[in-house]
Amino acid sequence: MFSCRILLVFLLLCILGIDVASTTSAKIGKGYSLISIENAPNGGLVGLLQVKQKNNIYGSDIPLLQLYVKHETGTRLRVHITDAKKQRWEVPYNLLPREKPPALKKISGRSLKDSYTPKAKEYAGSELIFTYTTDPFTFSVKRKSNGQTLFDSRSEESDPYSDLVFKDQYLEISTKLPKDASLYGLGENTQPHGIKLYPNDPYTLYTTDISAINLNADLYGSHPVYMDLRNVNGEASAHAVLLLNSNGMDVFYRGNSLTYKVIGGVFDFSFFSGPTPLSVVDQYTAFIGRPAAMPYWAFGFHQCRWGYHNLSVVEEVVESYKKAKIPLDVIWNDDDHMDGHKDFTLNPTNYPRPKLLAFLDKIHARGMKYIVIIDPGIGVNKSYGVYQRGLANDVFIKYGGKPFLAQVWPGALNFPDYLNPKTVEWWGDEIRRFHELVPVDGLWIDMNEASNFCNGLCTLPEGRICPNGTGPGWICCLDCKNVTATKWDDPPYKINASGIQAPIGYKTIATSAYHYNGVLEYDAHSIYGFSQSVATHKALQGLQGKRPFILSRSTFVGSGHYAAHWTGDNKGTWDDLKYSISTMLNFGIFGIPMVGSDICGFYPAPTEELCNRWIELGAFYPFSRDHANFYSPRQELYQWKTVAISARNALGMRYKLLPYLYTLNYEAHTTGAPIARPLFFTFTNETRCYGLSTQFLLGSSLMVSPVLNKGKREVKVLFPPGSWYNVFDMTQVIVSKESHFLTLDAPLHVINVHLYQNAIIPMQRGGLISKEARMTPFTLIVTFPLGATSGEAKGNLFLDEDELPEMKLGSGYSTYVDFYATVSKGMVKVWSDVKENKFALDKGWIIEKVTVLGLKGIGGAFQINIDGNPVDDISKVEFSTTDHKNPDKLEEGRNKMKSVIVDVKGLELPVGKKFAISWEMGIKA
């Protein structure tokens, strides 16, 4: 929701002209020496590091460190460095399950005297090699297959960074990088230069409620992971590096090096060997948690607005979408439904419960869903049951022995502490109570960075009404004083918080406040939204026995296992339209594939042309939702006739592609594969794809190329080598011999979406609601290289009872189908292999049509087999051909020999049975 800091931070950035990333400081200390090393009890190595030369820059050095190194899997190496004598803060192991390093040993002066200095050695796994030097201690990680160095912590005299630094509130380590490496990740931020990390741009990680319009600033999530893609002599390889640390940090990327400067915690690195981008994300999500399974309806279109003042407005919106014949699956309420902005309440006047329940009965019968917002802060109110039960259960974050007082939309409030098991139980009970009041279908958790409209330690004077209803709700009306007396509120090293080196407690919970078991907000700040997602997921799963849907603004490593994400408060501008692609693609790498931006912009009013182009793009976000600000004019897609046309076109295609998107959801859930991906995920050796941030793939084969500039009626599109078929008009094909750009027509209502060769994608007839669209017959689209006389194509389809908690085979409520096609020796064959067929058979799904693209022609000898048995009566089956067309602007890849689309209609192939159809290709003259 709207933050008062949106413009403030932006203006301060401009006024102050701060460029923290370009500044360098003198080197700190001389690093550490490795004084002992041995085999760890649970495998791996454990060693002892001793500081070489103490100094007091940013505090005292920790004199002895424990080093732990282990190949935890064949493709994952862990390097863990912490204080050897004292337990330090780490991301809780119960929140992000993983193997624990060996317990700290008691170290005496005698044991140090008896220690020895080992010679430089290496520790090899199946894919990665860990090597180290002893004085100073440095380490490197190499790829075993080719010896390529992936991480190298050496600091030479000419380098602008230090050796290993480890203090209580300042940790520093660096790696050398080849200049031609392409890096991605380190978010959440809005990257004006595109998806690739840009040398000397600031990368600060600290969850913060500032609008996404602020460029190169720490936003709502913290993801200290990057993917490194390198191309040596035309052969690409990728790996990833995760620093699992929730403390605030600056990461300085200089092009040939990368430096972490962290204000607490430990160094807990994991290196993922890849070597492909897909395998990197597979390995990463296997460690942090696979992306959450989403219900089918979540891939439909969503409509929301802050400012649906009463239920009749919501009813009017739903009916207007239906009347305009624009698909809509989910209607949302921001906080308009609440009584005084309080969580788990209803406004008795504007959203009376009997009328709301009747409305929900109506839309649920239609197949639609309803989602509402809840913020973490609980209003301080003696008559508010949620607050009173929270007090009784002692669930709130504390300061000085009392619940920490803050202000958000309800006014004065306290923040639940989701690290406390009692809080998780209480939160689940409040969600249960609310669901009994209103049977919502999902929850939207917002403001969970956590956001606070005030600063410091606050009180609410007796008798003061706060807020008083006369001004904006985000103006602080508590009595507050800054808290800077402790080292936790004013650490010695200042990260570039909010893009302006703001105090780390600015507009959030005071960092000297504490959680369960004395955990400091200083350490746990950036996992607040993550811990709320975990608690909310547990509550919904236990409550409904259904697959939860949660949308969270704040995220951390592992959040994708529980929640989807939207990119926060964006602006209705052409720049924000463009930025949305890079942010979306980054979150796929972060393991949060269900992601999208507010279509048409959160504020202010978008232009009609911009909204046309935004719904054309937004229809292909994994999470597709129109959302607007309280103070913006209405921007539902039916508000403009031209936008309604674009919406029907683009969302119409989305709803035909729902089985494909849902299958990608299954792939994401089982392998981590992003739903929306950069082109280099498929075309990894094509270096022109490495920085491409204006196009993307859905899955491995469907390329989306939107118009991103005002007044344009054409779009410049990069086509990697191969045949590309326009999914809106499959007669149109682009044949590219090598990666190159082409300029394509893109009238106002047109978005270019192309399907690559060698693919099979399942489509259905579409509809206005996913529940109806899902039960229509299937069409298989099969693509061969244009004019191919030999070739193979593959695809798949996952179907299940989509509201069951688990998304898997073997439940009796799911079916998985592999599709294959070949053209060889003048014959075309398309067939399937089915696993767990009962569910699809019970649903009665059929394939009514097979469309094969790129063939030379069609002959005869048509045959159908179902479950190995020939089908004799094929009288209803019809063949037809249509010539392919090459756009006039195509300069290469012209094929004088005609190629055709072959449509095989009138089929009644049960999806749940193995089938095979074949025919002679023939030649089209």
Side-chain angles (χ1 to χ4, degrees):
M1 294 170 68
F2 185 85
S3 167
C4 62
R5 286 169 285 149
I6 290 169
L7 295 178
L8 173 63
V9 171
F10 182 76
L11 290 171
L12 284 172
L13 272 168
C14 297
I15 293 167
L16 298 177
I18 291 174
D19 184 5
V20 177
S22 66
T23 63
T24 57
S25 57
K27 292 192 179 189
I28 301 173
K30 300 292 183 180
Y32 285 74
S33 297
L34 178 68
I35 60 173
S36 71
I37 195 163
E38 61 189 22
N39 292 327
N42 61 346
L45 303 174
V46 62
L48 198 62
L49 306 176
Q50 187 172 47
V51 68
K52 288 172 63 67
Q53 179 180 312
K54 294 182 179 180
N55 66 80
N56 290 314
I57 301 172
Y58 301 135
S60 301
D61 296 280
I62 293 177
L64 290 173
L65 304 177
Q66 176 177 282
L67 166 71
Y68 171 62
V69 185
K70 186 180 181 183
H71 293 281
E72 293 189 324
T73 71
T75 58
R76 185 176 80 238
L77 170 70
R78 186 178 187 187
V79 178
H80 184 278
I81 301 173
T82 188
D83 189 331
K85 291 186 174 182
K86 183 181 177 183
Q87 193 76 35
R88 288 180 63 82
W89 163 258
E90 299 186 46
V91 175
Y93 282 79
N94 63 337
L95 202 61
L96 189 67
R98 59 202 188 277
E99 187 176 323
K100 290 188 176 183
L104 300 176
K105 292 183 177 181
K106 289 186 177 180
I107 300 169
S108 64
R110 180 179 181 82
S111 63
L112 281 176
K113 186 177 180 181
D114 294 339
S115 66
Y116 66 96
T117 302
K119 297 178 181 178
K121 291 183 178 180
E122 69 176 35
Y123 168 49
S126 56
E127 298 292 338
L128 298 173
I129 302 172
F130 175 84
T131 65
Y132 57 88
T133 62
T134 59
D135 191 15
F137 168 73
T138 67
F139 73 90
S140 64
V141 178
K142 297 182 178 179
R143 191 182 297 281
K144 195 171 186 180
S145 61
N146 58 14
Q148 191 176 85
T149 299
L150 310 184
F151 194 94
D152 181 357
S153 73
R154 288 177 301 137
S155 171
E156 295 171 332
E157 190 171 338
S158 60
D159 291 327
Y161 47 84
S162 306
D163 284 304
L164 173 65
V165 181
F166 205 115
K167 301 168 185 283
D168 187 33
Q169 290 184 270
Y170 182 80
L171 286 67
E172 180 182 330
I173 196 168
S174 301
T175 179
K176 298 177 184 295
L177 292 168
K179 287 185 178 180
D180 58 353
S182 297
L183 270 61
Y184 312 88
L186 296 178
E188 176 179 11
N189 58 13
T190 300
Q191 300 175 189
H193 295 109
I195 187 174
K196 277 177 64 172
L197 299 189
Y198 195 79
N200 299 320
D201 273 359
Y203 296 96
T204 299
L205 280 67
Y206 190 72
T207 61
T208 306
D209 173 19
I210 58 172
S211 165
I213 71 168
N214 292 283
L215 307 182
N216 291 325
D218 46 315
L219 298 181
Y220 313 107
S222 175
H223 295 272
V225 61
Y226 68 85
M227 180 187 291
D228 182 335
L229 177 62
R230 304 178 186 180
N231 191 302
V232 179
N233 299 322
E235 289 295 320
S237 60
H239 66 276
V241 179
L242 166 67
L243 172 56
L244 186 56
N245 184 304
S246 64
N247 290 83
M249 68 180 78
D250 289 330
V251 185
F252 296 88
Y253 172 55
R254 303 175 185 86
N256 60 359
S257 67
L258 185 144
T259 298
Y260 298 91
K261 297 186 177 183
V262 194
I263 61 172
V266 303
F267 284 129
D268 190 356
F269 285 104
S270 290
F271 300 90
F272 305 88
S273 66
T276 67
L278 269 180
S279 59
V280 165
V281 181
D282 185 3
Q283 294 153 16
Y284 180 60
T285 57
F287 176 59
I288 67 167
R290 296 295 194 195
M294 296 289 157
Y296 200 87
W297 53 262
F299 290 92
F301 183 67
H302 303 244
Q303 178 61 51
C304 184
R305 175 180 172 80
W306 180 27
Y308 287 149
H309 300 294
N310 56 55
L311 180 59
S312 63
V313 178
V314 176
E315 292 173 316
E316 175 262 321
V317 169
V318 170
E319 291 309 309
S320 295
Y321 266 94
K322 184 179 180 183
K323 183 178 179 181
K325 293 183 168 51
I326 300 172
L328 180 65
D329 258 76
V330 189
I331 187 71
W332 295 57
N333 264 128
D334 205 310
D335 68 358
D336 302 290
H337 67 286
M338 296 181 183
D339 183 12
H341 306 284
K342 299 191 297 293
D343 282 348
F344 308 121
T345 64
L346 284 179
N347 184 309
T349 303
N350 296 332
Y351 284 83
R353 183 170 181 257
K355 290 185 177 180
L356 179 58
L357 293 180
F359 168 70
L360 294 185
D361 285 344
K362 181 179 179 180
I363 66 167
H364 283 155
R366 193 184 294 180
M368 290 182 63
K369 305 295 180 181
Y370 178 61
I371 294 175
V372 299
I373 198 170
I374 49 173
D375 294 338
I378 302 300
V380 174
N381 188 318
K382 292 180 181 179
S383 63
Y384 180 29
V386 178
Y387 172 68
Q388 292 300 325
R389 290 187 291 272
L391 274 183
N393 284 280
D394 194 23
V395 303
F396 298 117
I397 293 171
K398 300 286 184 60
Y399 193 101
K402 298 178 181 179
F404 176 77
L405 192 68
Q407 180 190 330
V408 192
W409 302 113
L413 53 74
N414 300 144
F415 286 110
D417 173 14
Y418 298 102
L419 299 183
N420 186 341
K422 287 178 66 177
T423 305
V424 175
E425 184 178 338
W426 161 82
W427 186 250
D429 184 60
E430 295 303 336
I431 289 175
R432 178 191 60 78
R433 290 169 180 266
F434 181 62
H435 195 265
E436 290 175 355
L437 186 72
V438 186
V440 296
D441 300 290
L443 289 173
W444 171 18
I445 51 178
D446 191 14
M447 310 293 285
N448 52 351
E449 293 73 29
S451 178
N452 181 2
F453 297 159
C454 298
N455 284 309
L457 194 59
C458 303
T459 58
L460 178 62
E462 189 73 29
R464 179 180 295 179
I465 299 173
C466 171
N468 60 20
T470 61
W474 57 86
I475 302 300
C476 180
C477 48
L478 303 177
D479 282 354
C480 304
K481 62 178 182 179
N482 288 333
V483 183
T484 58
T486 76
K487 65 179 184 177
W488 310 118
D489 299 293
D490 188 23
Y493 176 77
K494 311 296 190 253
I495 62 170
N496 192 29
S498 298
I500 55 171
Q501 287 193 334
I504 56 173
Y506 177 69
K507 297 288 184 167
T508 188
I509 301 167
T511 42
S512 52
Y514 55 90
H515 296 248
Y516 179 68
N517 277 348
V519 169
L520 284 164
E521 169 68 10
Y522 180 88
D523 294 316
H525 171 83
S526 287
I527 62 170
Y528 188 76
F530 175 38
S531 63
Q532 187 192 16
S533 294
V534 175
T536 305
H537 189 275
K538 181 179 181 181
L540 287 180
Q541 201 165 41
L543 165 70
Q544 297 172 294
K546 290 183 179 181
R547 192 171 299 173
F549 179 85
I550 301 163
L551 185 72
S552 179
R553 189 168 74 175
S554 186
T555 60
F556 186 70
V557 176
S559 285
H561 189 58
Y562 305 95
H565 174 66
W566 94 107
T567 63
D569 296 354
N570 60 358
K571 210 170 181 181
T573 70
W574 292 94
D575 282 341
D576 284 71
L577 173 68
K578 181 168 61 176
Y579 299 152
S580 73
I581 297 177
S582 294
T583 306
M584 171 184 69
L585 297 179
N586 265 327
F587 270 87
I589 294 172
F590 296 153
I592 309 179
M594 191 62 166
V595 59
S597 295
D598 286 345
I599 292 170
C600 298
F602 182 60
Y603 81 102
T607 65
E608 184 173 347
E609 181 191 5
L610 175 62
C611 206
N612 269 277
R613 293 307 192 187
W614 212 319
I615 185 52
E616 290 167 8
L617 168 59
F620 297 95
Y621 292 154
F623 173 63
S624 183
R625 185 183 73 158
D626 182 317
H627 180 43
N629 181 289
F630 186 95
Y631 298 96
S632 299
R634 295 278 293 273
Q635 64 182 45
E636 293 85 6
L637 302 179
Y638 54 79
Q639 296 287 348
W640 302 270
K641 288 184 179 179
T642 63
V643 175
I645 295 170
S646 294
R648 285 190 287 269
N649 288 345
L651 289 173
M653 179 56 70
R654 180 186 181 92
Y655 273 62
K656 292 176 182 178
L657 288 166
L658 283 176
Y660 178 68
L661 290 171
Y662 192 67
T663 301
L664 293 178
N665 175 34
Y666 175 72
E667 185 182 352
H669 181 60
T670 53
T671 71
I675 296 172
R677 311 169 189 178
L679 267 66
F680 67 75
F681 266 65
T682 294
F683 303 98
T684 311
N685 290 328
E686 297 293 322
T687 56
R688 297 183 80 174
C689 296
Y690 290 7
L692 188 64
S693 306
T694 55
Q695 300 166 230
F696 60 94
L697 294 171
L698 291 174
S700 61
S701 304
L702 197 66
M703 183 170 72
V704 182
S705 308
V707 172
L708 300 171
N709 298 105
K710 181 180 179 180
K712 294 294 184 181
R713 297 298 183 265
E714 58 186 20
V715 62
K716 191 176 180 181
V717 179
L718 179 68
F719 285 95
S723 298
W724 294 89
Y725 299 90
N726 186 323
V727 296
F728 286 94
D729 179 1
M730 295 182 191
T731 65
Q732 294 191 26
V733 57
I734 303 291
V735 181
S736 180
K737 291 181 179 178
E738 59 183 29
S739 287
H740 72 296
F741 284 94
L742 284 175
T743 300
L744 302 182
D745 289 335
L748 184 60
H749 304 307
V750 170
I751 181 170
N752 280 275
V753 181
H754 290 84
L755 181 60
Y756 192 54
Q757 65 188 33
N758 305 324
I760 303 176
I761 65 167
M763 296 176 68
Q764 288 174 289
R765 292 180 182 177
L768 298 181
I769 295 176
S770 65
K771 180 181 178 181
E772 297 171 356
R774 194 179 191 199
M775 296 315 297
T776 61
F778 283 85
T779 293
L780 298 183
I781 310 297
V782 182
T783 60
F784 289 116
L786 191 71
T789 56
S790 64
E792 297 180 353
K794 295 180 181 179
N796 44 48
L797 172 65
F798 178 81
L799 302 160
D800 74 344
E801 194 63 65
D802 68 296
E803 294 202 32
L804 289 179
E806 293 190 84
M807 187 183 213
K808 64 178 184 178
L809 289 172
S811 64
Y813 295 96
S814 57
T815 295
Y816 186 86
V817 186
D818 282 306
F819 297 112
Y820 305 92
T822 58
V823 54
S824 178
K825 297 179 181 178
M827 290 294 296
V828 179
K829 183 179 180 182
V830 182
W831 73 98
S832 69
D833 185 29
V834 183
K835 298 175 184 175
E836 309 276 341
N837 67 347
K838 183 178 183 299
F839 178 71
L841 290 175
D842 289 347
K843 290 291 185 180
W845 279 304
I846 64 164
I847 298 167
E848 65 175 351
K849 181 180 173 183
V850 173
T851 298
V852 185
L853 311 182
L855 295 179
K856 284 188 173 182
I858 187 168
F862 181 72
Q863 294 182 353
I864 302 179
N865 283 272
I866 297 178
D867 279 346
N869 300 311
V871 176
D872 296 325
D873 183 6
I874 57 173
S875 59
K876 295 181 180 179
V877 177
E878 300 177 16
F879 281 84
S880 62
T881 63
T882 309
D883 290 345
H884 281 298
K885 295 178 290 187
N886 297 104
D888 294 338
K889 296 179 183 179
L890 185 63
E891 295 178 357
E892 67 173 4
R894 292 187 182 276
N895 195 324
K896 293 181 180 179
M897 180 188 64
K898 289 185 177 180
S899 296
V900 298
I901 301 172
V902 174
D903 283 319
V904 186
K905 305 175 185 177
L907 298 170
E908 294 182 354
L909 305 174
V911 172
K913 292 186 177 183
K914 298 178 182 180
F915 72 85
I917 60 176
S918 61
W919 65 89
E920 291 178 353
M921 181 161 61
I923 300 295
K924 176 82 173 180

